[in-house]
């Protein structure tokens, strides 16, 4: 969880810096303040969403069915070793296989 907070905090800082950079560039062209604020906030929000998705990659463990063609998977976060093993076994031996067509 600490790594996730670090990634999100760093991205928030970078997103704010890019937003300010865009605001400065737009103000040079006489763009109204309301549009500048909107663009800066959108840039920061986009950076935060992307960082959240990247942080999820590190926080989640995905267990997939090993049967070729089956797309069953279980994503877990914050579980102990025993619970992690149980989900791994569940993914390997789930009763209904769903195949991609």
């Amino acid at each position: 969880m600490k790594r996730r907070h670090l990634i999100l905090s760093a991205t928030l800082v970078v997103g704010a810096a890019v937003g300010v950079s865009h605001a400065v560039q737009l103000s040079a062209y006489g763009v109204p303040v309301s549009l500048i604020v909107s663009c800066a906030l959108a840039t920061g929000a986009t950076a935060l969403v992307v960082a959240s998705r990247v942080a999820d990659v590190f926080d989640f463990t995905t267990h997939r069915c090993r049967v070729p063609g089956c797309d069953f998977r279980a994503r877990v976060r914050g579980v102990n070793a025993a619970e992690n093993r149980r989900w791994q076994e569940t993914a390997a031996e789930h009763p209904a296989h769903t195949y991609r067509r």
Side-chain angles (χ1 to χ4, degrees):
M1 202 62 163
K2 190 174 187 178
R3 184 182 338 165
R4 180 180 178 81
H5 290 302
L6 240 76
I7 290 172
L8 294 179
S9 298
T11 305
L12 188 59
V13 169
V14 170
V18 172
V20 168
S21 171
H22 287 163
V24 169
Q25 291 172 2
L26 289 172
S27 66
Y29 291 100
V31 176
V33 174
S34 61
L35 289 178
I36 291 174
V37 170
S38 298
C39 289
L41 290 175
T43 302
T46 301
L48 195 59
V49 168
V50 169
S52 177
R53 298 289 182 172
V54 170
D56 283 348
V57 170
F58 295 111
D59 282 349
F60 282 98
T61 301
T62 303
H63 301 291
R64 291 181 175 83
C65 178
R66 296 180 190 240
V67 174
C70 183
D71 62 353
F72 178 84
R73 64 181 175 173
R75 294 182 72 199
V76 295
R77 177 173 66 177
V79 296
N80 60 19
E83 185 74 9
N84 196 29
R85 180 68 181 160
R86 188 176 73 78
W87 279 108
Q88 186 178 18
E89 291 170 357
T90 300
E93 300 176 9
H94 68 96
H97 292 282
T98 52
Y99 296 98
R100 293 185 182 163
R101 290 175 173 52

